[in-house]
Amino acid sequence: MIMFYEKDCDKLYLKDKIITVIGYGSQGHAQAQNLKDSGLKVFVCLKKTSKKIKNAINDGFKILEIQEAVKISDILIILIPDEDQRELYYNFIENNIEDGKTIIFSHGFNIHYKQIIPKNNINIILVAPKAPGHTVRSTFCEGSGVPSLIAIYQDYNKTALKTALSYSVNIGSARVGIISTSFKEETETDLFGEQSVLCGGVSSLIICGFETLVENGYSPELAYFECLHEMKLIVDLIYEGGITNMRFSISNTAEYGDYVVLNDYYYNILKKKMKKILKNIQNGNFSKDFLTDKKNNFIKLNLFREYYSNHLIEIVGKNIRNMFNWKHKKIIN
């Protein structure tokens, strides 16, 4: 694995470049503000109807329309949702971007799955911070940062790596470390991690555990505490020092049960399922299904949202969070 740090980056390399961040959502607002605070010349590009315009202006940015952004910018950062990037590129960028300019993505989805096949006379770069936008921003303000992955897809004028490293140091990632990868590897590992562990895996375990207890006569409130509330306590221990650190901190009965369930129940079954999840990502079936649902106005996605947002665990959780006196914490209902 190739790693880069601050000593490997030329922070001033982008100081005379005009940079436009397209989108002002989670990653957009964080990366734009970090770049601005690093002394770079940054604009924000949003639709006239965007609700984010006021936020961006309040944060000190001039708002550009896409035609002007493509014309004047040396670097475009595309940070709108994956499903909207193809239309943006072919409607406004493909035939208007000049030779030698640079486009930066923070997820390789559209390039890897060939939703966007860029002209070969521009630089195509990936800079993917490995954290939600609010963390990218908050850690930067604290003097630190989050790790980023970088990759080069096209290096038209042989400066792509230098640009990627300079961009990374200016959003704070070089303070902790930058990992070199490829668009393919970033896309497939990111989707797999989200689906099998971080989002799909965790939420499935929580919901299935909760339902198993409730269906067997245990109170929903205790089921909520055991299967959801305590998750953060365990994850914090893992984050601080790995799985071994978590196992060192729990009781012997909990640790013994951990190993028994891992080996006798979960390991082989989950590995088989995860291989299918990965295959579905590698062969492009997931991306096709996702983009088809987008064309159908996200019928499937909205049905899932409706069903799971009204699940008993959400109702019980809201009630519990309102019952307890969580001092010094802002509770989100």
Side-chain angles (χ1 to χ4, degrees), residues 42-70:
V42 186
F43 297 99
V44 169
C45 175
L46 291 167
K47 293 180 180 178
K48 287 182 178 179
T49 56
S50 174
K51 296 178 180 178
K52 301 289 186 180
I53 289 178
K54 185 175 180 181
N55 294 342
I57 291 174
N58 288 340
D59 290 334
F61 292 102
K62 179 181 178 181
I63 308 301
L64 301 181
E65 292 190 31
I66 184 62
Q67 294 88 343
E68 184 181 5
V70 174

PDB file of all heavy atoms in Angstrom, residues 42-70:
ATOM      1  N   VAL A  42     -12.026  29.471  -4.355  1.00  0.00           N
ATOM      2  CA  VAL A  42     -13.070  28.453  -4.486  1.00  0.00           C
ATOM      3  C   VAL A  42     -14.426  29.099  -4.746  1.00  0.00           C
ATOM      4  O   VAL A  42     -14.822  30.052  -4.057  1.00  0.00           O
ATOM      5  CB  VAL A  42     -13.165  27.580  -3.211  1.00  0.00           C
ATOM      6  CG1 VAL A  42     -14.148  26.428  -3.421  1.00  0.00           C
ATOM      7  CG2 VAL A  42     -11.796  27.052  -2.812  1.00  0.00           C
ATOM      8  N   PHE A  43     -15.135  28.546  -5.731  1.00  0.00           N
ATOM      9  CA  PHE A  43     -16.521  28.910  -5.991  1.00  0.00           C
ATOM     10  C   PHE A  43     -17.398  27.696  -5.725  1.00  0.00           C
ATOM     11  O   PHE A  43     -16.923  26.564  -5.658  1.00  0.00           O
ATOM     12  CB  PHE A  43     -16.707  29.372  -7.443  1.00  0.00           C
ATOM     13  CG  PHE A  43     -15.942  30.613  -7.794  1.00  0.00           C
ATOM     14  CD1 PHE A  43     -14.726  30.530  -8.458  1.00  0.00           C
ATOM     15  CD2 PHE A  43     -16.440  31.866  -7.461  1.00  0.00           C
ATOM     16  CE1 PHE A  43     -14.009  31.676  -8.783  1.00  0.00           C
ATOM     17  CE2 PHE A  43     -15.739  33.019  -7.783  1.00  0.00           C
ATOM     18  CZ  PHE A  43     -14.513  32.926  -8.443  1.00  0.00           C
ATOM     19  N   VAL A  44     -18.687  27.934  -5.633  1.00  0.00           N
ATOM     20  CA  VAL A  44     -19.659  26.851  -5.491  1.00  0.00           C
ATOM     21  C   VAL A  44     -20.651  26.951  -6.631  1.00  0.00           C
ATOM     22  O   VAL A  44     -21.127  28.046  -6.967  1.00  0.00           O
ATOM     23  CB  VAL A  44     -20.390  26.921  -4.131  1.00  0.00           C
ATOM     24  CG1 VAL A  44     -21.585  25.958  -4.104  1.00  0.00           C
ATOM     25  CG2 VAL A  44     -19.423  26.599  -3.005  1.00  0.00           C
ATOM     26  N   CYS A  45     -20.955  25.813  -7.237  1.00  0.00           N
ATOM     27  CA  CYS A  45     -21.913  25.765  -8.340  1.00  0.00           C
ATOM     28  C   CYS A  45     -23.174  25.049  -7.871  1.00  0.00           C
ATOM     29  O   CYS A  45     -23.110  23.906  -7.393  1.00  0.00           O
ATOM     30  CB  CYS A  45     -21.300  25.024  -9.533  1.00  0.00           C
ATOM     31  SG  CYS A  45     -22.441  24.762 -10.908  1.00  0.00           S
ATOM     32  N   LEU A  46     -24.317  25.737  -8.010  1.00  0.00           N
ATOM     33  CA  LEU A  46     -25.604  25.161  -7.610  1.00  0.00           C
ATOM     34  C   LEU A  46     -26.681  25.581  -8.611  1.00  0.00           C
ATOM     35  O   LEU A  46     -26.566  26.609  -9.284  1.00  0.00           O
ATOM     36  CB  LEU A  46     -26.002  25.656  -6.217  1.00  0.00           C
ATOM     37  CG  LEU A  46     -25.164  25.157  -5.032  1.00  0.00           C
ATOM     38  CD1 LEU A  46     -25.488  25.969  -3.791  1.00  0.00           C
ATOM     39  CD2 LEU A  46     -25.417  23.674  -4.785  1.00  0.00           C
ATOM     40  N   LYS A  47     -27.756  24.783  -8.691  1.00  0.00           N
ATOM     41  CA  LYS A  47     -28.904  25.167  -9.497  1.00  0.00           C
ATOM     42  C   LYS A  47     -29.560  26.412  -8.890  1.00  0.00           C
ATOM     43  O   LYS A  47     -29.477  26.636  -7.683  1.00  0.00           O
ATOM     44  CB  LYS A  47     -29.940  24.035  -9.522  1.00  0.00           C
ATOM     45  CG  LYS A  47     -29.499  22.793 -10.249  1.00  0.00           C
ATOM     46  CD  LYS A  47     -30.625  21.757 -10.188  1.00  0.00           C
ATOM     47  CE  LYS A  47     -30.233  20.480 -10.901  1.00  0.00           C
ATOM     48  NZ  LYS A  47     -31.315  19.444 -10.806  1.00  0.00           N
ATOM     49  N   LYS A  48     -30.241  27.163  -9.717  1.00  0.00           N
ATOM     50  CA  LYS A  48     -30.941  28.361  -9.225  1.00  0.00           C
ATOM     51  C   LYS A  48     -31.995  28.003  -8.186  1.00  0.00           C
ATOM     52  O   LYS A  48     -32.323  28.826  -7.322  1.00  0.00           O
ATOM     53  CB  LYS A  48     -31.605  29.098 -10.389  1.00  0.00           C
ATOM     54  CG  LYS A  48     -30.642  29.828 -11.308  1.00  0.00           C
ATOM     55  CD  LYS A  48     -31.410  30.563 -12.390  1.00  0.00           C
ATOM     56  CE  LYS A  48     -30.453  31.341 -13.294  1.00  0.00           C
ATOM     57  NZ  LYS A  48     -31.185  32.056 -14.381  1.00  0.00           N
ATOM     58  N   THR A  49     -32.528  26.790  -8.287  1.00  0.00           N
ATOM     59  CA  THR A  49     -33.595  26.377  -7.376  1.00  0.00           C
ATOM     60  C   THR A  49     -33.073  25.688  -6.109  1.00  0.00           C
ATOM     61  O   THR A  49     -33.870  25.272  -5.266  1.00  0.00           O
ATOM     62  CB  THR A  49     -34.538  25.400  -8.097  1.00  0.00           C
ATOM     63  OG1 THR A  49     -33.770  24.283  -8.608  1.00  0.00           O
ATOM     64  CG2 THR A  49     -35.255  26.080  -9.251  1.00  0.00           C
ATOM     65  N   SER A  50     -31.768  25.570  -5.978  1.00  0.00           N
ATOM     66  CA  SER A  50     -31.200  24.837  -4.842  1.00  0.00           C
ATOM     67  C   SER A  50     -31.471  25.526  -3.513  1.00  0.00           C
ATOM     68  O   SER A  50     -31.324  26.749  -3.377  1.00  0.00           O
ATOM     69  CB  SER A  50     -29.691  24.675  -5.022  1.00  0.00           C
ATOM     70  OG  SER A  50     -29.114  24.081  -3.870  1.00  0.00           O
ATOM     71  N   LYS A  51     -31.846  24.737  -2.524  1.00  0.00           N
ATOM     72  CA  LYS A  51     -32.068  25.257  -1.172  1.00  0.00           C
ATOM     73  C   LYS A  51     -30.751  25.527  -0.445  1.00  0.00           C
ATOM     74  O   LYS A  51     -30.749  26.109   0.645  1.00  0.00           O
ATOM     75  CB  LYS A  51     -32.912  24.270  -0.371  1.00  0.00           C
ATOM     76  CG  LYS A  51     -34.309  24.079  -0.929  1.00  0.00           C
ATOM     77  CD  LYS A  51     -35.089  23.044  -0.132  1.00  0.00           C
ATOM     78  CE  LYS A  51     -36.493  22.853  -0.711  1.00  0.00           C
ATOM     79  NZ  LYS A  51     -37.253  21.816   0.031  1.00  0.00           N
ATOM     80  N   LYS A  52     -29.651  25.098  -1.060  1.00  0.00           N
ATOM     81  CA  LYS A  52     -28.340  25.255  -0.425  1.00  0.00           C
ATOM     82  C   LYS A  52     -27.670  26.592  -0.753  1.00  0.00           C
ATOM     83  O   LYS A  52     -26.618  26.915  -0.200  1.00  0.00           O
ATOM     84  CB  LYS A  52     -27.408  24.122  -0.866  1.00  0.00           C
ATOM     85  CG  LYS A  52     -27.902  22.716  -0.536  1.00  0.00           C
ATOM     86  CD  LYS A  52     -27.838  22.445   0.952  1.00  0.00           C
ATOM     87  CE  LYS A  52     -28.201  20.996   1.262  1.00  0.00           C
ATOM     88  NZ  LYS A  52     -28.136  20.713   2.706  1.00  0.00           N
ATOM     89  N   ILE A  53     -28.253  27.360  -1.662  1.00  0.00           N
ATOM     90  CA  ILE A  53     -27.637  28.627  -2.084  1.00  0.00           C
ATOM     91  C   ILE A  53     -27.416  29.553  -0.893  1.00  0.00           C
ATOM     92  O   ILE A  53     -26.326  30.121  -0.711  1.00  0.00           O
ATOM     93  CB  ILE A  53     -28.474  29.315  -3.169  1.00  0.00           C
ATOM     94  CG1 ILE A  53     -28.374  28.535  -4.487  1.00  0.00           C
ATOM     95  CG2 ILE A  53     -28.022  30.760  -3.377  1.00  0.00           C
ATOM     96  CD1 ILE A  53     -29.202  29.100  -5.618  1.00  0.00           C
ATOM     97  N   LYS A  54     -28.427  29.714  -0.074  1.00  0.00           N
ATOM     98  CA  LYS A  54     -28.320  30.610   1.080  1.00  0.00           C
ATOM     99  C   LYS A  54     -27.200  30.160   2.016  1.00  0.00           C
ATOM    100  O   LYS A  54     -26.423  30.994   2.513  1.00  0.00           O
ATOM    101  CB  LYS A  54     -29.655  30.653   1.831  1.00  0.00           C
ATOM    102  CG  LYS A  54     -29.680  31.657   2.972  1.00  0.00           C
ATOM    103  CD  LYS A  54     -31.055  31.749   3.613  1.00  0.00           C
ATOM    104  CE  LYS A  54     -31.065  32.759   4.746  1.00  0.00           C
ATOM    105  NZ  LYS A  54     -32.402  32.848   5.391  1.00  0.00           N
ATOM    106  N   ASN A  55     -27.105  28.844   2.248  1.00  0.00           N
ATOM    107  CA  ASN A  55     -26.045  28.314   3.122  1.00  0.00           C
ATOM    108  C   ASN A  55     -24.665  28.639   2.568  1.00  0.00           C
ATOM    109  O   ASN A  55     -23.769  29.072   3.302  1.00  0.00           O
ATOM    110  CB  ASN A  55     -26.185  26.798   3.275  1.00  0.00           C
ATOM    111  CG  ASN A  55     -27.436  26.393   4.011  1.00  0.00           C
ATOM    112  OD1 ASN A  55     -28.038  27.203   4.697  1.00  0.00           O
ATOM    113  ND2 ASN A  55     -27.837  25.146   3.873  1.00  0.00           N
ATOM    114  N   ALA A  56     -24.490  28.412   1.267  1.00  0.00           N
ATOM    115  CA  ALA A  56     -23.189  28.647   0.648  1.00  0.00           C
ATOM    116  C   ALA A  56     -22.806  30.125   0.689  1.00  0.00           C
ATOM    117  O   ALA A  56     -21.647  30.476   0.953  1.00  0.00           O
ATOM    118  CB  ALA A  56     -23.196  28.130  -0.790  1.00  0.00           C
ATOM    119  N   ILE A  57     -23.775  30.997   0.426  1.00  0.00           N
ATOM    120  CA  ILE A  57     -23.512  32.444   0.467  1.00  0.00           C
ATOM    121  C   ILE A  57     -23.149  32.865   1.891  1.00  0.00           C
ATOM    122  O   ILE A  57     -22.206  33.642   2.107  1.00  0.00           O
ATOM    123  CB  ILE A  57     -24.723  33.227  -0.052  1.00  0.00           C
ATOM    124  CG1 ILE A  57     -24.900  32.997  -1.557  1.00  0.00           C
ATOM    125  CG2 ILE A  57     -24.563  34.722   0.241  1.00  0.00           C
ATOM    126  CD1 ILE A  57     -26.154  33.608  -2.133  1.00  0.00           C
ATOM    127  N   ASN A  58     -23.887  32.342   2.854  1.00  0.00           N
ATOM    128  CA  ASN A  58     -23.590  32.659   4.257  1.00  0.00           C
ATOM    129  C   ASN A  58     -22.207  32.177   4.676  1.00  0.00           C
ATOM    130  O   ASN A  58     -21.580  32.758   5.573  1.00  0.00           O
ATOM    131  CB  ASN A  58     -24.654  32.056   5.179  1.00  0.00           C
ATOM    132  CG  ASN A  58     -25.990  32.767   5.083  1.00  0.00           C
ATOM    133  OD1 ASN A  58     -26.051  33.913   4.633  1.00  0.00           O
ATOM    134  ND2 ASN A  58     -27.052  32.107   5.489  1.00  0.00           N
ATOM    135  N   ASP A  59     -21.733  31.127   4.018  1.00  0.00           N
ATOM    136  CA  ASP A  59     -20.399  30.607   4.311  1.00  0.00           C
ATOM    137  C   ASP A  59     -19.303  31.334   3.532  1.00  0.00           C
ATOM    138  O   ASP A  59     -18.125  30.965   3.617  1.00  0.00           O
ATOM    139  CB  ASP A  59     -20.330  29.100   4.008  1.00  0.00           C
ATOM    140  CG  ASP A  59     -21.157  28.275   5.000  1.00  0.00           C
ATOM    141  OD1 ASP A  59     -21.354  28.738   6.133  1.00  0.00           O
ATOM    142  OD2 ASP A  59     -21.590  27.167   4.626  1.00  0.00           O
ATOM    143  N   GLY A  60     -19.702  32.340   2.765  1.00  0.00           N
ATOM    144  CA  GLY A  60     -18.709  33.195   2.098  1.00  0.00           C
ATOM    145  C   GLY A  60     -18.388  32.850   0.669  1.00  0.00           C
ATOM    146  O   GLY A  60     -17.374  33.311   0.131  1.00  0.00           O
ATOM    147  N   PHE A  61     -19.248  32.089  -0.009  1.00  0.00           N
ATOM    148  CA  PHE A  61     -18.956  31.675  -1.377  1.00  0.00           C
ATOM    149  C   PHE A  61     -19.773  32.451  -2.402  1.00  0.00           C
ATOM    150  O   PHE A  61     -20.942  32.794  -2.164  1.00  0.00           O
ATOM    151  CB  PHE A  61     -19.252  30.181  -1.560  1.00  0.00           C
ATOM    152  CG  PHE A  61     -18.322  29.285  -0.803  1.00  0.00           C
ATOM    153  CD1 PHE A  61     -18.728  28.699   0.389  1.00  0.00           C
ATOM    154  CD2 PHE A  61     -17.043  29.042  -1.256  1.00  0.00           C
ATOM    155  CE1 PHE A  61     -17.872  27.883   1.104  1.00  0.00           C
ATOM    156  CE2 PHE A  61     -16.180  28.232  -0.552  1.00  0.00           C
ATOM    157  CZ  PHE A  61     -16.591  27.650   0.630  1.00  0.00           C
ATOM    158  N   LYS A  62     -19.152  32.689  -3.557  1.00  0.00           N
ATOM    159  CA  LYS A  62     -19.875  33.192  -4.716  1.00  0.00           C
ATOM    160  C   LYS A  62     -20.455  31.985  -5.442  1.00  0.00           C
ATOM    161  O   LYS A  62     -19.785  30.981  -5.641  1.00  0.00           O
ATOM    162  CB  LYS A  62     -18.945  33.974  -5.650  1.00  0.00           C
ATOM    163  CG  LYS A  62     -19.654  34.503  -6.892  1.00  0.00           C
ATOM    164  CD  LYS A  62     -18.712  35.263  -7.821  1.00  0.00           C
ATOM    165  CE  LYS A  62     -19.455  35.724  -9.065  1.00  0.00           C
ATOM    166  NZ  LYS A  62     -18.560  36.443 -10.017  1.00  0.00           N
ATOM    167  N   ILE A  63     -21.720  32.104  -5.874  1.00  0.00           N
ATOM    168  CA  ILE A  63     -22.396  30.995  -6.538  1.00  0.00           C
ATOM    169  C   ILE A  63     -22.290  31.171  -8.058  1.00  0.00           C
ATOM    170  O   ILE A  63     -22.591  32.241  -8.599  1.00  0.00           O
ATOM    171  CB  ILE A  63     -23.884  30.924  -6.141  1.00  0.00           C
ATOM    172  CG1 ILE A  63     -24.028  30.928  -4.620  1.00  0.00           C
ATOM    173  CG2 ILE A  63     -24.534  29.687  -6.755  1.00  0.00           C
ATOM    174  CD1 ILE A  63     -23.339  29.794  -3.909  1.00  0.00           C
ATOM    175  N   LEU A  64     -21.846  30.114  -8.733  1.00  0.00           N
ATOM    176  CA  LEU A  64     -21.751  30.116 -10.186  1.00  0.00           C
ATOM    177  C   LEU A  64     -22.794  29.182 -10.785  1.00  0.00           C
ATOM    178  O   LEU A  64     -23.139  28.154 -10.192  1.00  0.00           O
ATOM    179  CB  LEU A  64     -20.366  29.638 -10.642  1.00  0.00           C
ATOM    180  CG  LEU A  64     -19.135  30.406 -10.175  1.00  0.00           C
ATOM    181  CD1 LEU A  64     -17.890  29.766 -10.776  1.00  0.00           C
ATOM    182  CD2 LEU A  64     -19.218  31.878 -10.550  1.00  0.00           C
ATOM    183  N   GLU A  65     -23.275  29.524 -11.967  1.00  0.00           N
ATOM    184  CA  GLU A  65     -24.071  28.575 -12.744  1.00  0.00           C
ATOM    185  C   GLU A  65     -23.106  27.653 -13.470  1.00  0.00           C
ATOM    186  O   GLU A  65     -21.937  28.000 -13.700  1.00  0.00           O
ATOM    187  CB  GLU A  65     -24.981  29.312 -13.713  1.00  0.00           C
ATOM    188  CG  GLU A  65     -26.079  30.098 -12.997  1.00  0.00           C
ATOM    189  CD  GLU A  65     -27.130  30.634 -13.947  1.00  0.00           C
ATOM    190  OE1 GLU A  65     -27.374  29.984 -14.983  1.00  0.00           O
ATOM    191  OE2 GLU A  65     -27.698  31.693 -13.655  1.00  0.00           O
ATOM    192  N   ILE A  66     -23.590  26.502 -13.869  1.00  0.00           N
ATOM    193  CA  ILE A  66     -22.697  25.466 -14.386  1.00  0.00           C
ATOM    194  C   ILE A  66     -21.944  25.902 -15.643  1.00  0.00           C
ATOM    195  O   ILE A  66     -20.761  25.589 -15.809  1.00  0.00           O
ATOM    196  CB  ILE A  66     -23.474  24.149 -14.647  1.00  0.00           C
ATOM    197  CG1 ILE A  66     -22.535  23.023 -15.084  1.00  0.00           C
ATOM    198  CG2 ILE A  66     -24.615  24.351 -15.623  1.00  0.00           C
ATOM    199  CD1 ILE A  66     -21.491  22.636 -14.077  1.00  0.00           C
ATOM    200  N   GLN A  67     -22.604  26.662 -16.530  1.00  0.00           N
ATOM    201  CA  GLN A  67     -21.913  27.087 -17.758  1.00  0.00           C
ATOM    202  C   GLN A  67     -20.697  27.945 -17.434  1.00  0.00           C
ATOM    203  O   GLN A  67     -19.617  27.776 -18.040  1.00  0.00           O
ATOM    204  CB  GLN A  67     -22.879  27.861 -18.674  1.00  0.00           C
ATOM    205  CG  GLN A  67     -24.029  27.028 -19.232  1.00  0.00           C
ATOM    206  CD  GLN A  67     -25.241  27.006 -18.335  1.00  0.00           C
ATOM    207  OE1 GLN A  67     -25.164  27.341 -17.143  1.00  0.00           O
ATOM    208  NE2 GLN A  67     -26.382  26.593 -18.879  1.00  0.00           N
ATOM    209  N   GLU A  68     -20.854  28.880 -16.496  1.00  0.00           N
ATOM    210  CA  GLU A  68     -19.735  29.744 -16.113  1.00  0.00           C
ATOM    211  C   GLU A  68     -18.663  28.947 -15.377  1.00  0.00           C
ATOM    212  O   GLU A  68     -17.467  29.155 -15.588  1.00  0.00           O
ATOM    213  CB  GLU A  68     -20.227  30.889 -15.230  1.00  0.00           C
ATOM    214  CG  GLU A  68     -19.122  31.887 -14.876  1.00  0.00           C
ATOM    215  CD  GLU A  68     -19.601  33.009 -13.989  1.00  0.00           C
ATOM    216  OE1 GLU A  68     -20.767  32.997 -13.563  1.00  0.00           O
ATOM    217  OE2 GLU A  68     -18.790  33.921 -13.714  1.00  0.00           O
ATOM    218  N   ALA A  69     -19.101  28.020 -14.533  1.00  0.00           N
ATOM    219  CA  ALA A  69     -18.148  27.208 -13.772  1.00  0.00           C
ATOM    220  C   ALA A  69     -17.236  26.416 -14.697  1.00  0.00           C
ATOM    221  O   ALA A  69     -16.010  26.369 -14.510  1.00  0.00           O
ATOM    222  CB  ALA A  69     -18.898  26.266 -12.829  1.00  0.00           C
ATOM    223  N   VAL A  70     -17.812  25.797 -15.718  1.00  0.00           N
ATOM    224  CA  VAL A  70     -17.015  25.004 -16.668  1.00  0.00           C
ATOM    225  C   VAL A  70     -16.062  25.903 -17.444  1.00  0.00           C
ATOM    226  O   VAL A  70     -14.914  25.522 -17.713  1.00  0.00           O
ATOM    227  CB  VAL A  70     -17.947  24.233 -17.640  1.00  0.00           C
ATOM    228  CG1 VAL A  70     -17.130  23.521 -18.717  1.00  0.00           C
ATOM    229  CG2 VAL A  70     -18.792  23.227 -16.867  1.00  0.00           C
TER     230      VAL A  70
END
